[in-house]
């Protein structure tokens, strides 16, 4: 019995965290696409949902499998810039202090083949995973919506990726 409990804790990761699939056990891929920057392949993205579609009223997961190495700070700064572009009304101190700190906790340096997954939980916030290890639980719905807008907003700077993630719809 003791061994089973230890194995369960190891599989769950730090502080009782679970893999992202435990949050969406019936999830299936809604859409997939690739992000390129000046012709360079940066990551492959997959959008997952239990409903078979994505809605701000239902949980979903966005998974990025990196095709190149990217540092945590580069990911944080690029995310801040995209959120500022999409949401100029947000208070700069909130974005540059609180939200930047949360992103530094959630993100890690990645190498080719590494996977980062963000899970959107409506009304609750987001959970972030590096592989199967939870890196952050951010209980702020405004942050979660703004962060996932980077990929899913109609005003994203990557409209073809958005279309592919949403299964070719919208």
């Amino acid at each position: 019995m003791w061994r089973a409990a230890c194995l369960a804790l190891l599989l769950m990761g730090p502080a009782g965290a679970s893999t992202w699939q435990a949050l969406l056990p019936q999830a299936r891929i809604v859409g997939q696409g690739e992000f390129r920057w000046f012709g360079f392949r940066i990551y492959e993205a997959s959008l997952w949902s239990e409903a078979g579609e994505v809605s701000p009223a239902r949980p979903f997961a966005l998974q990025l499998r990196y095709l190149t190495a990217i540092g945590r700070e580069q990911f944080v700064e690029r995310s801040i810039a995209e959120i500022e572009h999409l949401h100029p009304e947000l208070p700069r101190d909130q974005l540059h202090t609180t939200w930047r700190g949360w992103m530094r906790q959630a993100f890690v340096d990645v190498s080719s083949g590494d996977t980062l997954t963000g899970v959107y939980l409506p009304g609750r916030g987001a959970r972030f995973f590096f592989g199967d290890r939870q890196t952050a639980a951010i209980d702020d719905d405004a942050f979660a919506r703004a962060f996932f807008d980077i990929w899913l907003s109609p005003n994203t700077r990557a409209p073809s990726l958005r279309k592919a993630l949403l299964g070719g719809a919208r």
Side-chain angles (χ1 to χ4, degrees):
M1 178 143 158
W2 182 82
R3 277 189 173 172
C6 287
L7 180 60
L9 286 173
L10 284 173
L11 292 173
M12 290 173 62
S18 61
T19 66
W20 74 267
Q21 293 97 339
L23 296 170
L24 298 169
Q26 304 294 318
R28 58 187 184 272
I29 292 179
V30 174
Q32 299 176 282
E34 184 176 85
F35 180 73
R36 291 175 178 256
W37 186 255
F38 293 108
F40 293 100
R41 298 173 63 219
I42 307 299
Y43 58 77
E44 296 170 338
S46 302
L47 191 59
W48 298 75
S49 170
E50 291 184 325
E53 64 181 16
V54 173
S55 156
R58 295 190 172 136
F60 61 82
L62 177 67
Q63 187 171 66
L64 307 178
R65 189 175 76 76
Y66 283 84
L67 305 170
T68 188
I70 297 183
R72 171 197 333 235
E73 286 304 314
Q74 186 178 4
F75 193 7
V76 169
E77 294 309 315
R78 192 74 230 141
S79 297
I80 296 274
E82 292 304 313
I83 291 171
E84 282 183 319
H85 165 73
L86 293 166
H87 297 281
E89 76 284 359
L90 287 172
R92 289 182 58 80
D93 60 331
Q94 176 184 27
L95 182 59
H96 287 275
T97 304
T98 306
W99 289 12
R100 175 179 272 129
W102 289 342
M103 285 188 264
R104 283 184 176 139
Q105 177 188 357
F107 309 147
V108 299
D109 295 337
V110 295
S111 300
S112 182
D114 287 343
T115 302
L116 295 178
T117 305
V119 178
Y120 174 71
L121 302 170
R124 290 177 46 204
R127 305 296 179 261
F128 293 92
F129 298 83
F130 173 65
D132 285 336
R133 180 178 59 86
Q134 183 172 315
T135 57
I138 300 171
D139 294 324
D140 186 297
D141 192 57
F143 167 81
R145 283 183 279 118
F147 178 77
F148 289 106
D149 274 353
I150 294 170
W151 294 270
L152 302 176
S153 168
N155 298 322
T156 182
R157 292 193 219 214
S160 60
L161 176 58
R162 176 184 184 267
K163 185 176 180 180
L165 288 171
L166 294 173
R170 300 174 220 176

